[in-house]
Structures are given as C-alpha cells and as structure tokens.
C-alpha cells in the first residue's frame, strides 16, 4: 500500500511539476506561468536522485571505460539538475522570497554532499583517469577532448586523489561552507533592506528632483520618504543630496550594513576563511587563493598581486589629484570641512560642471535605459556583427520589469534569447552578472537562453 502511495505521489509530481519535463516554449525557455515556489524542492531532490542513479551505473559498469559510457554519460547525468538549478539560481539571485530562501538553506548542504559523492567517488574517478591517460589514442574530436580534460581537472580540483580519511574531512568542510555561503548571501540581502533611512523633513532631500522625491515617498506613512541602499560601495543618491548629515547617514548605512548588530556577518566570514584555509591545506595548496585560481587565466595568486601592483599606484595617484580638486571646490563653496567619502560624489559633480560645463541632469534624458540598450548596445551589435534583436512580449518572465529579446544572425538564423533584468529591488542580490536559463549545447541541439542582471536604482 505504501509503495502504491509513493508511486502515485511520484506520478503526481511528474504530471504537475514543470521541471520534470522540458519546457515546450521556444528555445526551451522556462515557463514562468507554470513554475511555482513549491516546485523547486521536489524537483531538485528528484534531479539529484536521477543523477546519483546515473552515476552509480557509470561507476559500476563492468565494461571497459570509454568516452561514451563514462565522460558522455557523466555529462548527460546532470540534464534535469541543470534544468532546475539554472532557474532556481536565477531566482534566488535576482528575485528571491522567504520560501526560496528556506529551500536554498535546506538544499545547499545536500547539494554539496551530492557533488562530493560524484567527484570523490573512487570507482568513477579511476574510469575518468583511464580515459584521460589514454585520450590521445581515442581519436576524439576537439570538443570531446576538451570535455575529457574538463572533467579530469574537475575531479582533481575536487579532491579525487585524497585518501578516504581526508575525503571524509573535505566533505564535512564543503557541507559547512555551503551552509555558511547561503547564510552570508541571505543575511546581506536582509541587511540591504533593513538599512533603509526614513526622512521626515522634505527639506533634507534638497538636491533631489521632484520625480526623485516622488519615487521614494512612503505610501504608508505621512511626511515620510525612504532612502534605500543598493549593494554597492557607494550609493547613487549621494551625488544629489545637499544635506551633508543625510549624505553621511546614507553612506554609513551602506558601508556598515553588516558590521555589527542583527545582520553582522563578521562571524560568518571568519568561519568561512578558516574553513577555506583548511580545505586548501587538505588539497595540498598553500592557501585558498592558490586552489581557487588553478584553472583560471591568472593561475597563481602572484599574478593577481602583480596586476594590482601595477594598477594601484596609478589609481591612487589619480584619486589624490581628484581629491585635491574636490577639496578646492568645497572651499570655493564657502565650506571648511575636510573631504569625506560621503562628500565625494556630490562635489565631484560640481567640479565636473565647473571644468567641463557638463550638467549630468541635462545629459540624462539621452541615456534612458531602453534607449541605451536598443539604440546603443543592440545598434552596435548589428553594425559590428550583423546581429539583430526582436522584442518578445509573448514569453513569460519572472518579474514585470524583465525584458526579453530574440537574437538572429545576419542571415536570419535564430541565435537564442536574451532576458534583461536591470532595476534594483529588495529581492535581488547586489552587483551585476549574466548566466543561462538554457545552456547552449550541440549534444542536445540547444540554443542559449541568457539572462543579464544589474542593479540600477
């Protein structure tokens, strides 16, 4: 009876969970009309279960290891997990909520364990190593050779050569790091929202335009305006605010959002640094940076330090000259205080106007977001590469501000989809990034479905 109930529940999930099968939309784009918060956890668990089952078959296959039965099978094993993770990671980064945060907290250590069970699997690694060692004799094409190299290096970096005792230690470290990383990101997002400053005297917003003041009006309280922060070092509003005390308050709200108090992250960061140092030592590296950079262009920490050694003197020299000009402007304005970080943007704008007669407010209308995107970026792409862009309003998005475009080669061949999500909001992590909803694949004959995220106030 229990078995029948399990089968019925499984069938129900397959019928009602959109992740259990490929999307029917163009380019297999996510169908956000069907995807609900409740679908992610069961889909992620099922995807990991399916991959684990596939990995077990590969590892226990008694036949001689081949590219097809090992490397290609390994690549195919993650098909469903990629489909679910691509959308889950997009939403937890760009449009999260309490339900998704809870799923993220529960799933992150499980995923860390899942991937450790793949990349620290002795039987599986011996097969991958066998193919890697004999790769030159297998008559593989360049793409297949690259895939062999990719997986072998991934196993090595993950700790496949460690002893069983050290693998056990590494699994424990990876589980803790996954939990801490999720906690850090979620705490930072909550700190962003909590750092909002309430203004009760409209005179303190001098320097803002009428539309800027209207945009930050608290609709729930009388005579209240809300200065929110974005996850950046500086806050864009600092450029306009004439009131120095408000500027300082805003700057420090952003600068110290996780430094002490309810949202303090110093403990999390300290623990992560300690665990990363332990992980690096376990894997035979001097420090975490050396392990992290091994398969990147930089290769070693010294290359990064050498680059900074060339950049920093020039950058700081330029900053000192600008600071001197700004200090002169402060004096010219009849003030005698010393330049502080919260003054920089406000007075730099005055210097720019004095030196170049450039008023940013006069230039702004020419740089409306959609104009820059369509008549700037897309125009340049067409001129340089022949790529054209067509607005798609028929495809569902995960948030009302997201814009979608279909791309075409010069000869009209479809290239893929591009989702543009550019405005800051409380459900979005800070920074700017791109990633895939659907990854380009010759194996599955898939075109890329890309999303691009920014945090424009």
């Amino acid at each position: 009876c229990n078995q029948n109930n399990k089968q019925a529940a499984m069938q129900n999930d397959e019928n009602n969970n959109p992740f259990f099968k490929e999307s029917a939309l163009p380019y297999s784009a996510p169908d956000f009309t069907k995807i609900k918060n409740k679908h992610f956890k069961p889909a992620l668990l099922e995807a990991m279960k399916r991959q684990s089952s596939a990995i077990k078959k590969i590892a226990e296959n008694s036949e001689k290891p081949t590219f097809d039965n090992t490397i290609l099978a390994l690549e195919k094993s993650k098909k469903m997990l990629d489909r679910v993770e691509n959308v889950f990671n997009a939403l937890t980064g760009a449009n999260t909520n309490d339900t998704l945060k809870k799923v993220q907290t529960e799933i992150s250590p499980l995923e860390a364990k899942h991937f450790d069970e793949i990349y620290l699997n002795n039987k599986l690694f011996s097969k991958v190593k066998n193919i890697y060692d004999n790769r030159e004799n297998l008559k593989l094409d360049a793409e297949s050779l690259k895939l062999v190299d990719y997986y072998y290096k991934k196993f090595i970096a993950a700790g496949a050569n460690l002893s069983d005792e050290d693998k056990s230690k590494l699994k424990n470290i990876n589980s803790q790091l996954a939990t801490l990383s999720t906690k850090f990101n979620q705490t930072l997002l909550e700190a962003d929202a909590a750092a909002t400053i309430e203004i009760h005297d409209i005179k303190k917003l001098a320097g803002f335009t009428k539309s800027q003041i209207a945009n930050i009006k608290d609709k729930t309280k009388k005579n209240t305006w809300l200065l929110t922060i974005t996850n950046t070092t500086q806050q864009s509003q600092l450029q306009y605010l004439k009131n120095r005390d408000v500027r300082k308050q805003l700057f420090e709200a952003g600068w110290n959002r996780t430094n002490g108090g309810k949202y303090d992250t110093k403990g999390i960061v300290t623990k992560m640094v300690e665990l990363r140092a332990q992980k690096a030592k376990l894997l035979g590296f001097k420090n975490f940076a050396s392990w992290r950079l091994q398969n990147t262009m930089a290769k070693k920490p010294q290359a990064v330090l050498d680059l900074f050694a060339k950049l920093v003197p020039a950058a700081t020299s330029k900053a000192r000259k600008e600071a001197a000009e700004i200090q002169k402007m402060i004096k010219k304005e009849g003030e005698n205080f010393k330049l502080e970080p919260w003054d920089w943007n406000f007075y730099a704008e005055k210097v720019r106007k004095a030196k170049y007669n450039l008023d940013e407010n006069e230039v702004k209308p020419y740089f409306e977001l959609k104009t820059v995107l369509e008549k700037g970026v897309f125009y340049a792409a067409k001129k340089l590469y022949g790529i054209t862009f067509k607005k798609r309003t028929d495809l569902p998005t995960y948030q009302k501000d997201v814009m979608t475009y279909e791309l075409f080669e010069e000869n009209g061949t479809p290239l893929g989809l591009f989702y543009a999500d550019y405005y800051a909001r409380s459900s979005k992590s800070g920074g700017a990034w791109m990633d895939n909803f659907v990854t380009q694949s010759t194996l599955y004959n898939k075109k890329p479905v890309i999303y691009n995220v920014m945090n424009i106030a």
Side-chain angles (χ1 to χ4, degrees), residues 119-256:
Y119 293 106
L120 300 179
N121 184 313
N122 292 328
K123 287 183 180 179
L124 182 59
F125 176 59
S126 68
K127 290 175 180 287
V128 171
K129 186 176 185 304
N130 179 288
I131 294 167
Y132 179 80
D133 290 343
N134 296 287
R135 64 193 183 281
E136 300 301 336
N137 303 319
L138 300 179
K139 297 180 181 179
L140 299 173
D141 58 41
E143 190 173 356
S144 299
L145 271 172
K146 179 65 180 174
L147 195 63
V148 172
D149 183 71
Y150 166 81
Y151 273 116
Y152 177 74
K153 287 179 178 176
K154 192 165 185 177
F155 273 87
I156 295 296
N161 278 327
L162 294 178
S163 66
D164 288 344
E165 183 183 351
D166 284 345
K167 282 180 180 177
S168 180
K169 292 177 183 176
L170 182 61
K171 288 176 182 178
N172 181 44
I173 290 171
N174 286 341
S175 177
Q176 290 183 71
L177 281 171
T179 299
L180 288 167
S181 179
T182 298
K183 188 177 180 182
F184 174 84
N185 289 327
Q186 291 184 0
T187 303
L188 179 59
L189 193 64
E190 290 165 7
D192 291 344
T196 299
I197 297 167
E198 285 193 5
I199 302 294
H200 301 289
D201 181 358
I202 198 170
K203 292 178 182 177
K204 290 185 177 182
L205 297 174
F208 271 16
T209 63
K210 287 182 180 179
S211 63
Q212 282 176 309
I213 292 172
N215 284 340
I216 64 170
K217 180 75 176 70
D218 186 345
K219 296 178 176 61
T220 64
K221 296 179 183 177
K222 190 177 180 181
N223 294 328
T224 303
W225 294 265
L226 303 175
L227 285 174
T228 56
I229 66 167
T230 54
N231 190 15
T232 50
T233 308
Q234 290 276 19
Q235 303 302 315
S236 60
Q237 305 102 310
L238 292 171
Q239 181 177 326
Y240 311 104
L241 288 165
K242 291 182 179 180
N243 188 300
R244 192 169 187 240
D245 289 337
V246 175
R247 287 204 307 270
K248 180 181 180 182
Q249 194 179 355
L250 180 62
F251 177 87
E252 291 186 337
W255 194 258
N256 297 313

Side-chain angles (χ1 to χ4, degrees), residues 237-307:
Q237 305 102 310
L238 292 171
Q239 181 177 326
Y240 311 104
L241 288 165
K242 291 182 179 180
N243 188 300
R244 192 169 187 240
D245 289 337
V246 175
R247 287 204 307 270
K248 180 181 180 182
Q249 194 179 355
L250 180 62
F251 177 87
E252 291 186 337
W255 194 258
N256 297 313
R257 71 192 80 176
T258 57
N259 184 22
K262 182 179 178 181
Y263 303 102
D264 188 283
T265 56
K266 292 193 295 295
I268 299 173
V269 172
T270 302
K271 186 63 178 174
M272 287 179 73
V273 169
E274 291 172 353
L275 288 168
R276 285 177 170 186
Q278 291 173 30
K279 178 173 180 172
K281 186 178 180 181
L282 202 59
L283 290 164
F285 289 84
K286 186 178 178 181
N287 50 51
F288 185 78
S290 298
W291 175 81
R292 185 68 183 83
L293 291 169
Q294 60 185 308
N295 292 322
T296 67
M297 190 184 295
K299 300 293 183 191
K300 296 180 180 180
Q302 192 57 48
V304 180
L305 296 173
D306 288 345
L307 177 64

Side-chain angles (χ1 to χ4, degrees), residues 63-75:
E63 296 176 8
K64 179 185 176 183
T66 65
F67 174 81
D68 284 354
N69 71 20
T70 303
I71 303 298
L72 194 58
L74 184 56
E75 178 74 2

Side-chain angles (χ1 to χ4, degrees), residues 78-98:
K78 60 188 180 121
K79 188 176 183 181
M80 182 181 177
L81 189 54
D82 278 352
R83 182 165 66 236
V84 188
E85 269 199 324
N86 285 352
V87 180
F88 183 65
N89 291 340
L91 295 192
T92 53
N95 198 41
T96 196
N97 54 57
D98 290 342

